[in-house]
Amino acid sequence: LEKMYKLIGKEIRYPKEARENGIQGKIFVQFVVNEEGKLSDIQVIKGIGDGCDEEAMRVMALTKWNPAEHEGKKVKQRLAMLIVFALD
């Protein structure tokens, strides 16, 4: 998870509109990790708007995960993650 958070921190861009409007907060993103570790069905389940929700989904799509295993087989797994947008 530490590597993934570093990647997100490096790649995420604060949307101009959100910055101008002073928007900050927590976004909860839900997604499915498939058997190859790729994400699908990425969606915001609680957002803050002004482009931050879309940016959170974009940056999540860049990540790669280790797939879950059940009885020795790789399986799909639905997960949720928190992404925080905070102004300096």
Side-chain angles (χ1 to χ4, degrees):
L1 283 177
E2 186 177 328
K3 284 183 179 181
M4 187 199 46
Y5 276 115
K6 282 183 182 181
L7 172 69
I8 289 171
K10 178 183 165 196
E11 295 294 330
I12 202 158
R13 301 291 176 250
Y14 217 111
K16 181 181 177 185
E17 185 177 350
R19 186 177 295 281
E20 289 172 352
N21 292 326
I23 301 298
Q24 52 186 354
K26 298 174 182 176
I27 298 175
F28 289 90
V29 181
Q30 180 175 283
F31 50 91
V32 173
V33 179
N34 70 16
E35 298 88 347
E36 291 84 40
K38 295 180 182 177
L39 301 190
S40 65
D41 195 24
I42 303 169
Q43 55 188 329
V44 171
I45 53 177
K46 180 183 179 288
I48 58 175
D50 278 350
C52 294
D53 302 347
E54 293 80 7
E55 180 63 8
M57 290 189 302
R58 182 194 72 81
V59 78
M60 284 306 300
L62 301 175
T63 65
K64 180 149 170 83
W65 293 64
N66 293 326
E69 289 189 23
H70 179 70
E71 297 180 357
K73 288 186 165 184
K74 293 180 180 181
V75 295
K76 291 181 182 179
Q77 181 179 26
R78 183 170 299 277
L79 297 169
M81 188 170 164
L82 170 69
I83 297 179
V84 178
F85 280 82
L87 294 168
D88 298 334

